[in-house]
Amino acid sequence: MAQPRVFCLVLLTVALGAQALTPSHHLSLSDVDRLKGLLSQPFTDLASAYYSIVGLSKLGASVADENDACQFLKAQLDPMSVDSLFFAAEASQAIADCEVSIFNETRDILLAAVSEDSTVTQIFRAVSALSSLGLPLASQEVVAALVARIAKEDNVLAITTALQTATRLSQQAELGGILEEIEDLAARLDDLGGVYLQFEEGLEATALFVTAAYTLSDHADTEPPLKEDQVIQLVNSVFSKKSWDSRSEAFSVACAAAALSSNRFHVPVIVSTQGPATVSHSQPILHLLVTDILSNPLASANLLVESAQAVASKSVVLSQAPFSLRNGIFELNFMASQPASGYYQFTVAVTGDSRLVANQVELKVKVSTEVAVTNMDLSVVDKDQSIGTKTSRVDYPFKAKGSFTADSHQNFAMNFQLVDANTGVELTPHQTFVRFHNQKTGQEVVFVAEPDSKNLYKFELDTAERKSEFDSMSGTYVLHLIVGDATLENPILWNVADVVLKFLDEEAPAAIQSKTLYMPKPDIQHLFREPEKKPPTVVSNTFTALVLSPFLLLLILWFKLGANISNFSLSPSSVLFHVGHACMLGLMYVYWTHLNMFQTLKYLAIIGSLTFLAGNRMLAQKAVKRYGQSSTLTFFTRSTCEN
Amino acid sequence: MSNSVISVISRFLEEYTTKTSNKLKVVDAYLFYILLTGALQFLYCLLVGTFPFNSFLAGFISCVGAFILGVCLRIQINPDNKGDFLTISQERAFADFLLAHTVLHLVVINFIG
């Protein structure tokens, strides 16, 4: 059950893998010149001398004045310093006939630097100086020291420097452990969008890593554990920057370029077109350049078109056709296969060297052609077909002799064909426009002519229907035919004829209308919400008095009934109760005018609790008084009854 | 027909003035006042319009609520109904009346705007 699924997964990965990555950046010839220029700047100290001399030698160039450089190295050398010895020794190796003098102590100083206690950089410089100066060194000891240092300094630059050191050791030494570091280091690279692979330490670190990895792999004769896609991504990262900040950065890029163009395992190849990738009948040959990343042409390469597929129709036009090499440029006569005009997707393969990486490249090639307008017939057709049509044939590039008149009862029609001038095949370009231009008013109306199923172009102008586009301006219109497309070499602008159009109702201010389109529009005044209509103050005042009047009535009624406050006991609780109650009513008024619910509730709680306690006391006293009265009454009644 | 209505009304009035105690008449006067106030507010609304509708509602509901509470108080303090309200003394009825009025007034003032 799992097998077909695994098979599908394998097929999917193979299918995805087939979409190989190709380098998007490399050093063009002008970039190489710029790099050389930066390295050729005059140097003031040994370090910059080293970068310039060795960097230029990697690019196959040399410093301006070699003798001068050699004298400079000898003069600046400090025989007690390991760094100084390193720079001088390495630089002098790059210059022919330049020998740096050594003393007896030199060897001791350099050998002393090779130990577990010095940094990796120190060990590297000492070992390189020893090997450049031709002094013997014990490779196994160096390996031991390097392994110990790598364990302590676990950063990218240190390990890269260790790799570089290993390239100077004898091939018999045990370099296996150090070789494994390449893979570990490659795992630390950051993948940016699947296109770039670089260290977060920057361009210099990545370039130095590339140099070290390939130099060590060549030295140890083991293929570096980098996949094809990784190599291309590294190429993109290292060569995307075209102007370098410092000499050491330029040096690292130069070393990386040299390593990638001449190592024994992976050589990325760049396939580019010379000029635009266009072929036509006048230029039938497609020129391609095959170079390495330094834009040097590859010596032993063969270029082959695996397939050329038309983008529009997906039909394969060419398959397995070889390019021929002439003066370092690969040529193919594509027009010989008689392709129709349009775009073609080319898949080319570079063969001839097993080291080539990214040797399958996809290119888009355009085949352009010339268009010719044939069978151009202009006619004025009557709408009800009562009068016969008047057709006249016009030949490109001439103009029709008479002018054509069309009023509201007639249609103006145009039929034509567009063919390929070389092959006679019918074409349907992107742009086929019919333009009417009124010379007097400057109006311009453009319509599109569309092809029917037989690729015959038809255009019909219904004067009555289209009068809004013309703003009903009658007059003479100059008719142009415009044909254009990306694959046409000769776009056409052809003054075909003059057409007199007559419209029924002529609206005069047509020109003004177009002007008012871009003038400021009239201001819109914001209408605020109208407040509701209120009754006049007199009415509301009257009704206020009216509503308050029953209170007077109540007082009168109470007076008549004899309600009084004679039973009012001046005990503290009743006084407090009445005061509290009055305060509560006053609080209601204050709530209406000033407060919000929360504040009111707060005050109400205080006043209310006081009033409640006082009221409770007062009412209890009243109740006691009342029961006391009624009980005496019953006692009196009972006692009288008993009697 | 109208005769019997008039006689009923006169009989009712006579009984009312003689039979009901003063205390209840005081409460009745208060209820009548509330009724008049509410009716006048309603009349205003009919005549002039409901412009500040929330104010009208607050006022009208205040009258209605006060009337209802007044009626409750009257029922509870009527000695003829003592059998129905054994646990509620007159003082308690009055206290309830005051508490309910406090809540009513709070709501009315909130709504009056």
Side-chain angles (χ1 to χ4, degrees), chain A residues 216-230:
Chain A
L216 185 56
S217 305
D218 275 354
H219 186 68
D221 205 14
T222 345
E223 194 178 341
L226 295 168
K227 295 195 269 292
E228 230 188 75
D229 278 353
Q230 286 180 310

Side-chain angles (χ1 to χ4, degrees), chain A residues 299-312:
Chain A
S300 62
N302 287 317
L303 200 60
L304 178 78
V305 178
E306 290 202 342
S307 80
Q309 199 185 41
V311 170

Side-chain angles (χ1 to χ4, degrees), chain A residues 13-36:
Chain A
T13 26
V14 166
L16 285 174
Q19 274 281 19
L21 199 61
T22 48
S24 42
H25 301 284
H26 67 283
L27 292 176
S28 66
L29 290 169
S30 56
D31 293 329
V32 174
D33 285 337
R34 204 178 312 121
L35 190 60
K36 285 183 191 170

Side-chain angles (χ1 to χ4, degrees), chain A residues 532 534-535 539 543 546-547 550-551 553-554 558 561 563 577 581 584 588 591-592 597 601 619 623 626, chain B residues 22 25-26 29-30 32-33 36-37 40 44 47-48 51 90-91 95 98 102 105-106 109-110 112-113:
Chain A
E532 290 209 27
K534 284 196 281 213
V539 176
F543 268 97
L546 208 61
V547 161
F551 188 64
L553 182 66
L554 178 70
W558 274 353
L561 282 169
F577 166 74
H581 194 225
M584 273 174 26
M588 288 296 133
Y591 174 30
W592 184 35
M597 180 63 101
L601 283 176
L619 286 171
R626 195 160 55 83
Chain B
N22 242 8
K25 277 195 194 152
V26 166
Y30 168 74
F32 181 61
Y33 150 68
L36 269 186
T37 313
L40 280 170
Y44 171 85
L47 287 179
V48 187
F51 163 51
Q90 301 208 343
E91 285 72 28
L98 284 181
T102 310
H105 283 153
L106 200 66
I109 297 290
N110 186 31
I112 207 162

Side-chain angles (χ1 to χ4, degrees), chain B residues 21 80 88:
Chain B
S21 68
D80 295 333
I88 302 177

Side-chain angles (χ1 to χ4, degrees), chain A residues 630-643:
Chain A
S630 64
S631 67
T632 42
L633 198 62
T634 35
F635 178 67
F636 185 62
T637 325
R638 201 177 285 158
S639 59
T640 45
C641 275
E642 269 171 22
N643 288 349

Side-chain angles (χ1 to χ4, degrees), chain A residues 91 104 132 145 179 186 194 256 317 322-323 339-340 347 399 409 438 443 560 598 600 620 637:
Chain A
N104 289 334
S132 299
L179 269 171
V317 173
F323 277 73
T347 313
K399 191 167 165 173
H409 301 295
N438 190 328
Q443 273 172 295
K560 271 190 72 182
F598 299 107
T600 314
T637 325

